[in-house]
Amino acid sequence: MHEIITLQLGQQSNYLATHFWNTQESYFTYSEDQESPIDHDIHFRPGLTPDGTETFMPRTVIYDLKGAFGTLRKINALYDVNEESSPPQALWHGATTIHRAPALPESAYTQSLNAGLPPPRPTPSSVRFFSDYARVFFHPRSVVQLHEHELHSSIAPFERHAAGEELFAALDREHDLLDRDLRPFVEEADHMQGVQVFAGFDDAWGGFASRYVERVRDEYGKVPVWVWGLQERMGGVARDKRLLRLANKARTLTEIYKQASVVVPLAVPERLPGAGIQLDPASRWHTSALLAAAVESAMLPSRLKDAARRETMGGMADVLNAMGKQSVAGLQMSFARSESNAQKDTRQRRLTEEQLSEGVQLDIRFTPSDQLDLYSRSNGFDRPRVFSQLIASRGYGDEEAEQAEEVEMDEQGRRVRRSAYEPVTKSYNSPLRFPVLDSFPEIFRADDGEALTGALDITTSLSTDSSVSSRLKQLRTTVIRSIGLEDRETLGNELMEMADEYHEGWSSGSDDGEDD
């Protein structure tokens, strides 16, 4: 069934993934005359509760710190059939006293869902945790709380790459995390398509993810592994904290690059385009929603039911790795703000293969800045040479899809371009629009400033291009002196080796970042 197993590592990833799962849940249909274009078995698993009730829950494992889950319980209402029963007393026959911490109040959104009422749209002030806007139930095996660290702790903040590595090593030594948490989901799959990982790159979760992905690669050597590396916006962050975040990212990126099939660093841009986006940068509910819309749209081909439109994670990774180990990709997105923009977007989708291979530039670029100073004039975002690009467009009509497919280059044509070191492009399309749910913030705006609701036409681009080289060199220059002497040379060399992969058959004529 080409199942995809998801790993969610940390707060940033769990906010984004909650939007992702809400969107997947919205694709379900409940009448015989409706058929969803999505193959739900790819991301959801069937099961039974203790009382025999059939369930259909995400194939995911959610890791976070103590205090981060909010009202999300490991044993949810579907499985909590013996909530009032007495605790087992096989080893103790005396009196027992149960002490319970005060329960967190559920959000108004969650209360309405549980009561079967139309829920009010959350607000930035009402969202305290990612569970405050979650629409799906998770299997008890999916929820893994790590008690060794506490969320927002000032005594032992979970913010350094080494802390994440140490935590993973300790837990894996005691429990064998893959065997305990991941393997049960893998063994349920008939034909696993791949593993997708959402993880913070700029804090300790980067270290945790590095070791986890390494173990996944050791255990499942040929399975595609996609890693979405999330970074917080730098605005308002002290300079020393920005440097720490970039150093964390450098370590995480070099380590995950060795193991992952595709790595996509992600951050909400410090500057957003015009009137099309209206979000609160201090609200993780807002910023993660924008990222989720792009990520969910970019990977839509991997879960389509129509075999003619579907593409596997492995197939998409092969296109992006056009000329060797070019697995660091960038994500861009555009959306139609009005009927006229929708027509313009459709024309853009109909570009020829040659035009597409020059590099489609969309409105919002989610590539994080690797510079210490905010709003620097250049961050390697000048018009780059594109090596490979995946264009995913949603909102097509059937007629538009047929016209777009006429210009799609076949696999033989892509192999010819790859062998000639020419850019490789593949496009995907679907009539399924992106649903703007009641759990989703009203961040997308029309030309007149009104919030866009209902559903959106979205185009995304995943690409590998020459700008990766300059950004990696910039990252090396920024962080190298903050790295300990024992690791400085190794990290610097690894970043330069990665940068060199994006010079294959091409030279920028620039030596930026070569010197310490």
Side-chain angles (χ1 to χ4, degrees):
M1 290 188 290
H2 300 289
E3 297 89 348
I4 296 174
I5 313 298
T6 302
L7 293 173
Q8 303 170 210
L9 309 179
Q11 276 284 281
Q12 295 184 67
S13 69
N14 288 330
Y15 269 80
L16 187 155
T18 299
H19 286 298
F20 176 86
W21 292 119
N22 288 349
T23 304
Q24 303 315 303
E25 187 264 350
S26 73
Y27 297 142
F28 282 94
T29 54
Y30 300 96
S31 63
E32 294 182 357
D33 58 344
Q34 291 180 314
E35 183 177 359
S36 174
I38 298 297
D39 184 350
H40 304 301
D41 289 320
I42 289 176
H43 279 293
F44 286 79
R45 55 173 296 280
L48 293 173
T49 63
D51 64 358
T53 302
E54 293 184 355
T55 63
F56 209 45
M57 296 183 180
R59 303 179 188 271
T60 189
V61 186
I62 308 169
Y63 292 91
D64 218 325
L65 306 181
K66 181 181 179 182
F69 287 89
T71 58
L72 178 63
R73 296 186 299 163
K74 185 176 182 68
I75 308 298
N76 60 51
L78 295 179
Y79 286 83
D80 197 4
V81 294
N82 296 313
E83 183 177 7
E84 301 301 326
S85 63
S86 300
Q89 298 183 356
L91 301 179
W92 175 254
H93 300 285
T96 59
T97 302
I98 299 176
H99 297 274
R100 299 184 186 274
L104 285 171
E106 292 180 335
S107 67
Y109 185 84
T110 302
Q111 290 178 22
S112 297
L113 285 180
N114 292 340
L117 301 174
R121 189 180 299 273
T123 63
S125 60
S126 69
V127 175
R128 307 154 299 170
F129 308 95
F130 63 86
S131 57
D132 287 339
Y133 58 94
R135 296 181 57 89
V136 301
F137 284 115
F138 297 98
H139 191 277
R141 287 202 307 261
S142 289
V143 181
V144 183
Q145 183 170 228
L146 306 181
H147 297 274
E148 290 76 7
H149 289 266
E150 190 166 357
L151 185 67
H152 304 316
S153 171
S154 58
I155 299 175
F158 198 59
E159 62 181 11
R160 293 185 178 274
H161 184 274
E165 289 186 312
E166 292 167 2
L167 177 59
F168 180 86
L171 292 172
D172 197 44
R173 186 167 52 249
E174 182 177 356
H175 302 291
D176 190 340
L177 290 185
L178 262 70
D179 194 59
R180 185 192 71 179
D181 300 335
L182 182 62
R183 193 181 305 280
F185 289 96
V186 174
E187 291 180 347
E188 290 175 341
D190 292 334
H191 187 271
M192 184 168 64
Q193 178 183 159
V195 177
Q196 69 171 355
V197 182
F198 297 115
F201 266 27
D202 57 357
D203 55 15
W205 285 107
F208 193 93
S210 299
R211 299 283 75 84
Y212 208 126
V213 172
E214 182 180 38
R215 287 275 283 111
V216 170
R217 178 57 69 209
D218 289 343
E219 190 74 19
Y220 307 104
K222 296 183 179 180
V223 172
V225 178
W226 283 60
V227 181
W228 304 90
L230 310 178
Q231 294 177 236
E232 296 276 19
R233 288 162 59 102
M234 293 286 198
V237 178
R239 185 181 177 86
D240 61 330
K241 292 292 186 182
R242 295 203 300 270
L243 182 58
L244 173 60
R245 290 184 181 182
L246 290 174
N248 288 335
K249 175 190 176 176
R251 292 180 183 274
T252 302
L253 189 58
T254 55
E255 292 168 4
I256 287 184
Y257 172 79
K258 302 170 188 175
Q259 311 296 340
S261 307
V262 176
V263 186
V264 188
L266 292 174
V268 172
E270 298 292 337
R271 293 172 174 167
L272 288 165
I277 300 291
Q278 184 174 318
L279 60 73
D280 179 357
S283 169
R284 193 170 275 168
W285 175 56
H286 271 210
T287 56
S288 63
L290 181 59
L291 294 173
V295 170
E296 201 275 334
S297 298
M299 296 303 291
L300 183 64
S302 67
R303 51 185 168 272
L304 291 175
K305 188 178 296 183
D306 184 355
R309 298 180 188 270
R310 187 175 63 228
E311 180 64 279
T312 64
M313 294 172 68
M316 297 171 77
D318 288 343
V319 175
L320 288 175
N321 285 278
M323 300 179 186
K325 184 61 174 173
Q326 293 176 330
S327 55
V328 179
L331 178 63
Q332 302 176 58
M333 181 183 81
S334 291
F335 66 96
R337 297 194 296 273
S338 66
E339 187 63 30
S340 60
N341 278 332
Q343 294 171 358
K344 177 182 177 182
D345 192 43
T346 298
R347 288 196 300 271
Q348 185 181 61
R349 296 174 195 157
R350 294 178 184 172
L351 292 172
T352 65
E353 177 76 17
E354 286 74 20
Q355 289 171 310
L356 284 170
S357 66
E358 293 175 0
V360 173
Q361 301 299 310
L362 302 181
D363 294 335
I364 307 170
R365 187 164 186 161
F366 296 103
T367 303
S369 172
D370 295 323
Q371 294 181 326
L372 191 57
D373 297 320
L374 300 179
Y375 308 120
S376 296
R377 178 169 297 180
S378 174
N379 188 38
F381 288 169
D382 296 332
R383 186 81 176 188
R385 176 194 167 180
V386 173
F387 299 114
S388 57
Q389 192 166 39
L390 295 171
I391 308 295
S393 299
R394 58 193 309 173
Y396 263 112
D398 292 337
E399 180 180 350
E400 294 168 346
E402 291 174 1
Q403 293 177 2
E405 288 167 359
E406 289 177 0
V407 302
E408 175 65 24
M409 179 172 285
D410 61 18
E411 184 60 31
Q412 181 179 358
R414 282 190 289 275
R415 285 198 297 268
V416 170
R417 297 182 74 88
R418 182 183 288 115
S419 63
Y421 289 95
E422 295 180 1
V424 177
T425 298
K426 187 170 184 180
S427 59
Y428 308 92
N429 56 78
S430 171
L432 180 64
R433 306 175 76 198
F434 178 77
V436 181
L437 307 175
D438 52 27
S439 61
F440 198 90
E442 295 179 325
I443 57 175
F444 295 112
R445 299 286 165 160
D447 290 335
D448 59 5
E450 291 295 317
L452 293 171
T453 58
L456 296 177
D457 294 345
I458 288 180
T459 299
T460 62
S461 164
L462 278 168
S463 63
T464 59
D465 57 51
S466 57
S467 69
V468 175
S469 178
S470 58
R471 292 201 306 273
L472 288 170
K473 291 179 180 180
Q474 178 64 58
L475 180 61
R476 177 181 180 272
T477 300
T478 300
V479 306
I480 197 68
R481 289 187 176 88
S482 68
I483 304 299
L485 290 175
E486 66 278 7
D487 298 327
R488 182 179 300 176
E489 182 177 0
T490 300
L491 181 63
N493 290 341
E494 289 179 344
L495 286 169
M496 287 304 298
E497 289 172 4
M498 290 172 61
D500 288 343
E501 291 290 342
Y502 295 84
H503 280 285
E504 187 70 33
W506 178 83
S507 174
S508 66
S510 171
D511 293 326
D512 292 346
E514 292 285 354
D515 300 326
D516 288 345

